[in-house]
Amino acid sequence: MTARDLDRREVLAAAGALVGLALPPIGCSADTELALAPGQVAVPLSDLPEGDRRVVIVGENPVEVLRADHTVTARMLRCTHMGCVVRWRPDARIYVCPCHDGRYDAEGNPIAGPPPRPLATVPVSIRGTRVVLG
Ligand code: FES
C-alpha cells in the first residue's frame, strides 16, 4: 500500500462517515416528542428503507443502521484495533478498515488482520415511528 492509496482510502472512509451527516433528519435529536437521554439519536423509521444501510453519527462515532427482516440493528463503524472508520464493501460483503487492512464479516466479526474484537453493537429501541440509537 502506498501513501497515496492510504490517503485516498482515508478520504473515502471519512466521506462515508459524512454521508450520515448529509441525510436531512438522520442524526437530529431535536425531537420534541421523544425524551432522549444524552448521547441518544432518533431516526425516523421512514428514513431506513428495508435492506438499506445508513450511517448515522452518534456522538462522534459513525454508526451503521440496518433495517432488515423487520428488525433494526446498529453497529459502530470504529475498528476495534485502533479506532479507524471501517467501511462496508457490498461486493465482498465484508467491512474493511483502511488503516491496517483489518477485515470483518457481515456480522462484524474479525476475519483478518489485527482487529481483536467484533465491531461494537449499539442499543436500538423502536419508539412509535422512530428508531432510538444509544
Ligand atoms: S485500526 Fe483497523 S486494522 Fe488497525
Side-chain angles (χ1 to χ4, degrees):
M1 176 182 339
T2 67
R4 183 179 175 161
D5 288 337
L6 183 58
D7 289 344
R8 188 178 65 214
R9 288 177 183 190
E10 287 173 339
V11 168
L12 290 173
L18 291 175
V19 167
L21 291 174
L23 300 173
I26 290 184
C28 176
S29 60
D31 190 324
T32 57
E33 297 174 17
L34 289 177
L36 299 176
Q40 288 185 323
V41 171
V43 180
L45 263 171
S46 59
D47 283 353
L48 301 170
E50 181 78 12
D52 202 11
R53 295 170 186 268
R54 304 293 292 267
V55 177
V56 178
I57 302 300
V58 178
E60 296 179 355
N61 295 304
V63 171
E64 178 190 75
V65 184
L66 173 62
R67 182 178 180 186
D69 300 326
H70 307 292
T71 61
V72 178
T73 57
R75 176 173 294 134
M76 190 81 72
L77 294 179
R78 291 266 181 217
C79 181
T80 58
H81 179 225
M82 295 180 72
C84 293
V85 176
V86 302
R87 60 189 167 92
W88 174 247
R89 277 192 42 195
D91 56 327
R93 298 197 51 76
I94 59 172
Y95 297 90
V96 176
C97 178
C99 292
H100 310 104
D101 205 27
R103 292 164 187 252
Y104 300 84
D105 66 15
E107 284 73 45
N109 300 305
I111 54 174
R117 295 177 306 282
L119 296 172
T121 57
V122 174
V124 172
S125 60
I126 308 293
R127 294 195 211 162
T129 60
R130 304 262 177 174
V131 175
V132 176
L133 306 170

